[in-house]
Every structure is written in C-alpha cells, then in structure tokens.
Amino acid sequence: MFDNDDVVQLVTETGARVDHPDYSRYVEDVDVAAVRALYEDLVVVRRIDAEATALQRQGELGLWAPLLGQEAAQVGSARALDPGDFVFASYREHGVAYCRDVDPTHMLRFWRGSTHSGWNPFEYNMTTPAIIVGAQALHATGYAMGMQFDGSDGAAITYFGDGATSQGDISEAFGFAASFNAPVVFFCQNNQWAISEPVSLQSRVSIAARGRGFGVPSVRVDGNDVIAVIAVTRAALERAREGSGPTLIEAVTYRMGPHTTSDDPTRYRPAALDEEWKRKDPLDRIRALLESAGAIDDTYLAAVQQRADDTAAALRRGCLETVEPGPMSLFDNVYAEPHPLVDEERRQFAAYLDSFEGTDA
C-alpha cells in the first residue's frame, strides 16, 4: 500500500466511483447520504475562502492564504479524524478548521491582526495557523510521541505544502517519527507551487519518495478526490493507532489562486495549466457523482447554497464587529497562572499609558 507512487483514486474526474484493491474498504460507509454531506462541506469551505479573500481585498484583513482548489484534500482528511486526534496546521487549513467546528469568524482574527492566536487549540484539538514553514511537523511529532508515552490511542496529523518539504524541520520530523515509531500522519498538500516555484524544482522525486527515504511509509492520493483522501487518511490513522508508526500522505492537488493575497500567480504560472486543473475541480467531481446517482436536485442545491451564504454572512459580520484588543491585553495569557514579573510589567505599562492622559500624544 505504501511502497509505490501510483496515485490512489476512488472517483474519476468525470464523477464515476471506482474500486481500489487496498483502499475501497476504508470508505464502504461513505454512501450517498455521506457524499451529499461532503459536497456541502466542500461548497461551504469554498464560500468561506471566497468571502475571506474579498474581506482582505476590501482592507478588512491584512492577509489571507486562499485554499481554492484544495478543498477536497482538507475536507476529506479532516472528516477521517476522530475528535481526540490532534491537528497541527500550517496557515492554509481553513477547511480543516471548519470541519473541526472552529467558528469561521475566529479564523479571521489572526489575519486581521486582532490576536496572536484565534482560538483555544485544546477546545478543538487543532492548533492555530503556523507561519514558520514546516515547524508544525516537529510539533506534531513531539505531541504524537507524548501521546505514545501516555498510552493514548489517538494520533496527531500535521499539514504542510510541497515547498515545506525543502525545510530542514520536515526532514527532522520524518527522522524522529520513524526512529520512535510516533503515531503521526504527515499530510502534504502538493499544490504544485511553492509560492512561485514549481514542485519539479523543489524535488526531483515525488514527495512520497522523500518520506520513504527516512523510513516513513508513504502514499500518493488524488487530492481532488475527497473520497480517496478519506480512505488513505483512515488507513494512515489506523497504522498510527495500532502502533505501526508514521505515514506520509502526498495529496496531489493544485492551488487555483495565489499563494497569499499578496501574490500574483499570473507572473509565473501559465494560464493553460490553470485551465487543465479547472477540469479536475473537486466540487464538480462530487457533484457529477451525485448527479449520476440521482441524488441531487434544485431543492438540495438551494439548501447547500443557502448554508454557504449564511456562513459567509456570519463570517463578514463577525469580522466587521471584531472588538480590537486594547494595549493592556498584551499581558493576558502569558502564563497559565499569575506571575509577579508579569504583574509588575503590567503595572509599569499601565502607568506609562496613564502618563499620556491630557496630552496630544
């Protein structure tokens, strides 16, 4: 299952469901009702991303990392997780956060500059965005080792892009996880572009092959096939929970938009390539599957769109109504318990701010 570079696919680009000798058994429960729920997830996540991008363009966010085109990789992997599994995200996993029940408004606080975090990681078993590229893989490996020492039957999963695999942190995480048999799943969203550099420049071999070089069993999956992603993620989690150690998943997908809203992909990416990948759109694929099963109609589509629009409206409202933190909040949550040093610094800073009262400063 983990020793070749064949790309696992369970739904073709035209929406036909196909069998796989190793992975079909992991999604036997994904019936028509489940596919309808997955399609709703995909639509809502895309709508969240579009609304957040619009908010950034309107000056309400400092930056945003779009996920357009990568919805299936995120939704599929997230829906394979158990509540007790812990997610270590990069800065693009808005779809994973949605599936972990994070309030979409909270996703924006970090990008608005209103907080250093956004949400309590232990409330959702998911970290907030990690900007240091690749660092989260080490965090996930360490956490997984801790779960192992505690006798937990859970697993950790960490997300990163193809470009991150050129960072030393990823190599170190692979080495530690393999050596200590850590119950961690490395989930690489190979969206073909490390900012402006193609993956072919990042690696002369597949990302999956890089994992195998460290002794980490690896698999490539069609990242635009949400059902295949569920299957391979469940298989990897099964290995972790039974004590068989780490797995690397390379989800082959495509970033349809910019790296972030400060990027212009037209400067380095041919339009013909974008058009090629548009024909592999993850939403269109699942919609075609539902149509072939006679499980989609105008009433259902309208309900899904209404859910997406309501989520987007709440996202915008929450963003615009954000109460920006005051200067004294700088001292909140520095330590879990009160600390005399922080108390003294708080007192000194309050006195400093008070010194400006009655002035034009």
Side-chain angles (χ1 to χ4, degrees):
M1 292 171 64
F2 304 103
D3 60 356
N4 63 68
D5 272 352
D6 293 343
V7 177
V8 177
Q9 185 181 78
L10 295 176
V11 180
T12 68
E13 294 168 17
T14 58
R17 194 157 176 175
V18 294
D19 288 328
H20 190 282
D22 295 320
Y23 291 99
S24 289
R25 65 187 178 91
Y26 288 99
V27 287
E28 291 176 347
D29 62 323
V30 181
D31 55 14
V32 171
V35 175
R36 281 164 62 95
L38 288 169
Y39 181 72
E40 180 176 314
D41 284 342
L42 296 171
V43 172
V44 173
V45 166
R46 179 166 290 186
R47 187 71 178 84
I48 288 171
D49 186 59
E51 193 69 21
T53 300
L55 284 164
Q56 193 283 328
R57 298 306 191 199
Q58 294 159 9
E60 299 296 340
L61 302 179
L63 191 72
W64 182 252
L67 59 77
L68 181 63
Q70 298 178 221
E71 297 89 352
Q74 296 196 17
V75 168
S77 57
R79 290 305 186 197
L81 299 172
D82 284 345
D85 297 329
F86 211 103
V87 177
F88 290 80
S90 74
Y91 44 74
R92 203 184 301 276
E93 276 69 59
H94 323 304
V96 178
Y98 170 77
C99 292
R100 297 298 272 182
D101 294 327
V102 175
D103 183 337
T105 299
H106 295 173
M107 300 179 199
L108 301 190
R109 291 177 180 172
F110 178 87
W111 302 101
R112 189 175 171 87
S114 300
T115 178
H116 289 299
S117 181
W119 62 82
N120 180 351
F122 293 103
E123 184 176 351
Y124 304 101
N125 277 2
M126 177 175 179
T127 61
T128 51
I131 297 301
I132 302 174
V133 177
Q136 68 275 14
L138 282 171
H139 304 158
T141 300
Y143 191 91
M145 290 170 64
M147 298 173 83
Q148 188 178 48
F149 295 149
D150 290 343
S152 169
D153 60 357
I157 185 170
T158 182
Y159 293 84
F160 49 88
D162 49 286
T165 62
S166 292
Q167 293 283 3
D169 287 2
I170 299 294
S171 294
E172 292 169 12
F174 287 167
F176 259 92
S179 295
F180 293 95
N181 216 40
V184 58
V185 176
F186 297 105
F187 195 96
C188 176
Q189 293 176 84
N190 177 1
N191 65 18
Q192 311 302 314
W193 297 95
I195 307 183
S196 58
E197 300 296 351
V199 68
S200 58
L201 185 61
Q202 290 287 315
S203 180
R204 295 300 182 185
V205 297
S206 71
I207 303 301
R210 283 186 165 191
R212 296 188 198 105
F214 287 88
V216 177
S218 305
V219 59
R220 304 184 82 205
V221 63
D222 183 339
N224 286 13
D225 176 355
V226 67
I227 297 177
V229 173
I230 291 174
V232 299
T233 307
R234 284 178 171 176
L237 291 167
E238 180 181 83
R239 291 191 70 255
R241 294 192 181 104
E242 71 185 14
S244 296
T247 304
L248 168 61
I249 297 172
E250 178 190 351
V252 182
T253 182
Y254 192 78
R255 167 169 57 79
M256 292 300 299
H259 175 69
T260 70
T261 46
S262 65
D263 172 43
D264 178 8
T266 64
R267 298 183 63 181
Y268 57 80
R269 203 166 67 188
L273 190 58
D274 288 357
E275 290 300 319
E276 176 186 339
W277 277 90
K278 281 181 182 179
R279 294 190 289 272
K280 303 176 183 180
D281 186 281
L283 276 68
D284 292 345
R285 185 180 306 195
I286 295 304
R287 178 167 176 162
L289 175 60
L290 289 171
E291 287 174 346
S292 66
I296 197 169
D297 56 28
D298 291 343
T299 301
Y300 164 75
L301 290 174
V304 169
Q305 191 59 52
Q306 188 62 55
R307 172 72 181 276
D309 290 343
D310 289 347
T311 303
L315 181 77
R316 174 170 289 271
R317 184 168 58 252
C319 178
L320 300 182
E321 293 176 355
T322 296
V323 177
E324 304 300 340
M328 296 306 297
S329 67
L330 176 69
F331 301 95
D332 296 343
N333 303 312
V334 177
Y335 292 109
E337 302 293 337
H339 192 286
L341 177 61
V342 176
D343 292 342
E344 176 60 20
E345 291 176 342
R346 182 186 294 108
R347 185 194 65 76
Q348 291 180 9
F349 190 58
Y352 171 73
L353 294 177
D354 289 343
S355 71
F356 290 103
E357 289 188 5
T359 70
D360 294 331

